[in-house]
Amino acid sequence: MERVTLPRAAWREREGLAGLCDVLGAAAGKVRFVGGAVRDTLLGIDVADIDLATTHSPERVIALLKGNAIKVVPTGLAHGTVTAVLPGGPVEVTTLRCDVATDGRHATVAFTDDWREDAARRDFTMNALYADPRTGEIFDYFGGIDDLEARRVRFIGDPLKRIAEDHLRILRFFRFHARFGDEPDAAGLGACTERANDLMALSRERIAAELLRLLVAVHAVRVVRLMIERGIFAPVLPEIDRADRLARLVEREAAAGIAPDPIRRLAALLPADQAVADDVGARLKLSKADRKRLINAAVPAGDEPAPVIAYRLGTILAIDRLLLSDRPESDAASLIGWQPSSLPLGGGALVERGVRKGPEVARMLRMVEEQWIAEGFPDAARVAVIADETVAQLLRASSME
């Protein structure tokens, strides 16, 4: 096989990274870059997170880093992972591992010094690529480079066995396919289809995390349609049974120049029903803010001007409603960077105009605010006139009682 090397990339020059690799024994082949950083660099994609694999035990890694004044955090010792805190950002360092026992949700691991054994426990061939930190030489044990070139997401080993080890790999297969894939690998797709019911054994938080990442991938619509066709959602999210609204939303986001948003896209996959949105949000254990967005997105946008909707709901919720409606994309686009104004009038100004302190002030203030909104948020001078007129009307009505 032709020798492949890792291209130069900005992340490889991050401050402190070369020193970390030296401390971990790069010269003796004790440490390598692994996973996403290698994969994405070969694809010409920007890299965010850097992972290192090493033959050293976790305890040895900690000792080496502390001995060289590198801050280390034991983020996942049970699975052999620590985090080196560098000036250029955190780097995860994980000892080579093999699975001792799995139950579809968790794995018990043992540490090893065998690089191929470590690669064999990873999910897909494209994620099992290693690179020498000094020379950039790529180590590919299962044909990952060929799969990258073919844009093929392929399990390492028997797909059914790999899914039995970790059921989340079903969703990961589709997420990686949505990001990188061309034609789905037949064996992997068949196994995911056959074992879709295994998803019921997973926590809904893990399902939500994978689904939300999938929904913002470049081929999300195509892959979601494939998942619906194959019955992947049926065991855990039967509400997702068509992708037409998602496809339309993706087009409208692009037309409006608004970045993809996973919660908005999830809302597009659900029926426009507040009760359903609330139930799904609770089932997936989304945050209160995200559940509120799902529920809000199920409400029609109405015909108020876009800034008025944004003033009442907040910009994010307004954009959700507008993009999921039939209104022009420009309505949503008009809210990019929009900042709500504050009513340039307080209750004290109404008291000075003769309104009695108490509930009447709040009622009058709401009346002034509604007129201010209706007129398109005019300046303080106009608000003062609105206040004068509103108070005068109140006083006339009171004098007639």
Side-chain angles (χ1 to χ4, degrees):
M1 176 187 288
E2 181 182 353
R3 185 172 179 268
V4 179
T5 57
L6 192 67
R8 301 305 302 174
W11 65 267
R12 296 182 64 185
E13 306 302 325
R14 287 188 190 177
E15 187 177 355
L17 181 60
L20 171 64
C21 292
D22 287 344
V23 165
L24 291 173
K30 298 289 188 179
V31 64
R32 295 173 183 172
F33 299 128
V34 66
V38 179
R39 177 198 64 221
D40 291 354
T41 302
L42 291 172
L43 289 172
I45 299 172
D46 289 341
V47 168
D49 300 322
I50 303 172
D51 295 296
L52 293 174
T54 181
T55 56
H56 295 300
S57 70
E59 294 75 17
R60 179 60 176 160
V61 172
I62 291 173
L64 285 170
L65 269 55
K66 285 184 174 180
N68 286 272
I70 299 174
K71 182 179 179 181
V72 57
V73 180
T75 44
L77 275 184
H79 288 86
T81 300
V82 303
T83 299
V85 182
L86 305 180
V91 174
E92 286 200 347
V93 183
T94 302
T95 301
L96 303 188
R97 301 172 291 181
C98 61
D99 290 339
V100 174
T102 60
D103 63 5
R105 293 175 298 172
H106 310 288
T108 301
V109 302
F111 302 128
T112 179
D113 59 2
D114 187 324
W115 291 97
R116 184 183 180 87
E117 196 171 23
D118 183 77
R121 73 173 298 277
R122 297 177 184 270
D123 48 11
F124 310 118
T125 60
M126 64 173 58
N127 292 336
L129 298 171
Y130 303 76
D132 186 297
R134 297 173 310 131
T135 67
E137 180 182 358
I138 300 291
F139 299 88
D140 177 12
Y141 300 98
F142 297 103
I145 291 175
D146 288 342
D147 287 331
L148 270 187
E149 291 176 351
R151 294 283 179 166
R152 179 174 53 240
V153 180
R154 185 167 61 87
F155 282 99
I156 296 172
D158 178 4
L160 286 172
K161 181 176 182 294
R162 307 317 306 280
I163 289 169
E165 293 168 350
D166 184 353
H167 306 321
L168 193 67
R169 286 173 176 159
I170 296 171
L171 295 182
R172 284 176 61 81
F173 174 83
F174 289 105
R175 175 166 70 83
F176 277 85
H177 185 57
R179 186 178 178 195
F180 303 114
D182 188 2
E183 287 297 317
D185 176 67
L189 179 60
C192 289
T193 303
E194 182 177 339
R195 304 306 306 178
N197 283 343
D198 290 353
L199 292 174
M200 290 189 288
L202 294 173
S203 74
R204 296 309 182 256
E205 294 97 327
R206 293 185 78 194
I207 290 172
E210 284 296 322
L211 176 58
L212 294 177
R213 294 176 73 181
L214 186 159
L215 289 178
V216 294
V218 63
H219 301 303
V221 173
R222 169 164 59 82
V223 171
V224 166
R225 282 184 168 140
L226 177 63
M227 294 172 74
I228 292 171
E229 174 190 318
R230 291 292 182 133
I232 305 300
F233 291 113
V236 289
L237 288 169
E239 296 85 355
I240 299 178
D241 59 5
R242 58 187 304 169
D244 296 348
R245 288 182 73 216
L246 174 63
R248 184 171 177 275
L249 171 63
V250 170
E251 293 176 353
R252 286 170 61 79
E253 285 174 337
I258 292 174
D261 182 275
I263 296 298
R264 185 188 307 126
R265 290 189 173 189
L266 176 59
L269 284 175
L270 302 176
D273 183 303
Q274 288 181 284
V276 172
D278 190 24
D279 179 65
V280 170
R283 197 185 319 153
L284 294 178
K285 292 182 167 51
L286 300 180
S287 68
K288 288 183 179 180
D290 286 342
R291 286 176 64 181
K292 180 179 178 181
R293 285 185 66 190
L294 279 188
I295 296 167
N296 165 79
V299 179
D303 56 8
E304 286 188 311
V308 173
I309 299 175
Y311 180 78
R312 297 190 191 284
L313 299 178
T315 305
I316 293 175
L317 272 63
I319 288 175
D320 288 348
R321 279 196 190 177
L322 289 166
L323 285 177
L324 288 164
S325 74
D326 293 325
R327 290 176 53 160
E329 294 93 339
S330 57
D331 285 359
S334 71
L335 297 179
I336 299 174
W338 185 84
Q339 294 294 325
S341 305
S342 297
L343 178 67
L345 186 83
L350 296 179
V351 173
E352 291 175 0
R353 287 171 166 80
V355 180
R356 188 168 52 241
K357 290 183 178 180
E360 199 65 34
V361 172
R363 186 175 74 86
M364 296 295 293
L365 202 58
R366 284 194 298 272
M367 291 174 62
V368 173
E369 183 181 37
E370 286 301 318
Q371 184 63 32
W372 174 65
I373 293 171
E375 293 186 14
F377 312 104
D379 61 17
R382 174 56 189 160
V383 171
V385 173
I386 294 172
D388 290 340
E389 293 172 347
T390 304
V391 171
Q393 182 182 359
L394 168 68
L395 296 178
R396 284 197 301 270
S398 297
S399 66
M400 295 174 63
E401 293 179 354

